[in-house]
């Protein structure tokens, strides 16, 4: 179990990140202010911290300094609305491993989380790196899809959409869930982009792989 602490006081963002992490096999915990973040981040076995800078109680940069000061060396990704270069420099100098600004897309956050975990040698054993459905293989390490010896070219969105299906074989995924996971929370829910991309995947990976469940969404055939 890879445990991720989310220090975030905006409930919508916190739950968006938590849901996405859960869907990808991580165990998220939410801390809503500086005090809670400090008490949880130190000595509780978390594998990574996602840190908002605008936290109630204390500035996120101070929280980071205290965490590092107490010897906690878990990877920290700052996730903040502040896009000032000074804040970024201060965050990275203060011991953060990465820095992302809001608004953000979940897939990018996830990619950065995986990278940090991989760097700290935690992920490899805990994460399935090869996903299969029928004769299609997704290699999450190289981000490549193959059918037999043939490499299928999937741009990042298509790959992420395929990965989302492959992680939930047999499960119905609604358009909103797929939008949320692949395109991020700020995407127009009325868009038909999911249908368009499912069409791309069917064309490239096989027309029978993903079935339409009328009125509900899509499902990867087992
Ligand atoms: Ca905040």
């Amino acid at each position: 179990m890879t445990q991720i602490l989310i220090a975030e006081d905006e409930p919508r963002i916190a739950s968006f990140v938590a849901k996405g992490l859960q869907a990808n096999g991580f165990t998220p915990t939410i801390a809503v202010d500086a005090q809670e973040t400090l008490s949880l981040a130190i000595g509780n076995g978390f594998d990574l911290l996602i840190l908002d800078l605008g936290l109630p109680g204390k500035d996120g940069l101070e929280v980071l300094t205290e965490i590092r000061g107490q010897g906690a060396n878990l990877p920290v990704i700052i996730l903040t609305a502040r896009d000032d270069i000074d804040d970024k420099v201060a965050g990275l100098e203060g011991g953060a491993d990465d820095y992302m600004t809001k608004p953000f897309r979940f897939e990018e956050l996830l990619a950065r989380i995986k990278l940090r975990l991989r760097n700290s040698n935690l992920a490899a054993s805990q994460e399935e790196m090869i996903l299969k459905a029928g004769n299609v293989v997704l290699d999450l390490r190289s981000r490549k899809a193959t059918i037999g010896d043939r490499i299928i070219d999937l741009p990042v969105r298509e790959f992420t959409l395929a990965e989302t299906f492959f992680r939930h074989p047999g499960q119905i995924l609604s358009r909103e869930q797929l939008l949320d996971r692949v395109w991020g929370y700020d995407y127009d829910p009325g868009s038909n982009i999911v249908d368009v991309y499912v069409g791309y995947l069917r064309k490239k990976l096989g027309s029978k792989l993903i079935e339409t469940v009328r009125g509900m969404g899509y499902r990867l055939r087992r």
Side-chain angles (χ1 to χ4, degrees):
M1 274 295 166
T2 304
Q3 300 206 70
I4 298 185
L5 182 60
I6 304 163
E8 176 61 69
D9 60 313
E10 282 176 55
R12 183 160 164 263
I13 295 177
S15 89
F16 168 69
V17 173
K19 269 194 300 176
L21 289 176
Q22 230 155 14
N24 282 280
F26 297 99
T27 307
T29 301
I30 296 169
V32 298
D33 59 29
Q35 199 46 51
E36 198 178 8
T37 305
L38 281 170
S39 64
L40 286 172
I42 299 161
N44 285 296
F46 281 99
D47 299 300
L48 185 139
L49 167 65
I50 299 168
L51 180 64
D52 176 28
L53 291 184
L55 281 176
K58 216 177 247 178
D59 189 86
L61 289 174
E62 284 176 57
V63 172
L64 179 61
T65 306
E66 276 192 46
I67 289 171
R68 292 300 186 226
Q70 298 204 31
N73 60 1
L74 78 173
V76 174
I77 298 175
I78 290 176
L79 181 60
T80 177
R82 297 186 205 164
D83 57 4
D84 193 300
I85 191 74
D86 290 340
D87 278 321
K88 190 167 183 173
V89 169
L92 294 172
E93 284 186 343
D97 299 272
D98 207 344
Y99 194 104
M100 266 187 80
T101 49
K102 298 168 186 166
F104 63 101
R105 287 208 303 259
F106 183 76
E107 65 183 285
E108 191 190 349
L109 177 62
L110 184 64
R112 289 176 186 239
I113 288 169
K114 286 180 179 173
L115 179 67
R116 292 303 147 199
L117 290 172
R118 212 165 290 153
N119 287 352
S120 62
N121 287 326
L122 288 165
S125 59
Q126 290 160 332
E127 215 189 325
E128 283 256 40
M129 297 312 285
I130 303 281
L131 301 174
K132 291 179 190 166
N135 57 356
V136 184
V137 177
L138 291 187
D139 184 333
L140 303 183
R141 227 179 279 263
S142 61
R143 308 287 295 170
K144 279 201 176 105
T146 48
I147 297 177
D149 297 336
R150 204 153 47 90
I151 293 175
I152 312 297
D153 177 44
L154 294 183
V156 59
R157 272 318 146 89
E158 292 173 36
F159 190 93
T160 307
L161 181 62
E163 181 184 344
T164 306
F165 278 115
F166 277 53
R167 285 188 184 280
H168 304 92
Q171 193 181 318
I172 298 171
L173 298 170
S174 70
R175 283 176 181 76
E176 291 92 82
Q177 283 174 316
L178 293 167
L179 268 178
D180 216 48
R181 305 267 166 80
V182 181
W183 282 270
Y185 67 96
D186 54 355
Y187 212 90
D188 172 15
S191 155
N192 72 341
I193 193 151
V194 171
D195 311 271
V196 172
Y197 272 71
V198 166
Y200 295 157
L201 290 185
R202 282 174 172 159
K203 211 169 276 175
K204 292 181 179 180
L205 305 180
S207 59
K208 298 243 165 67
L209 195 65
I210 298 164
E211 61 183 329
T212 304
V213 183
R214 198 185 294 181
M216 298 182 78
Y218 293 103
R219 172 166 59 196
L220 182 79
R221 279 181 212 270
R222 281 185 193 276

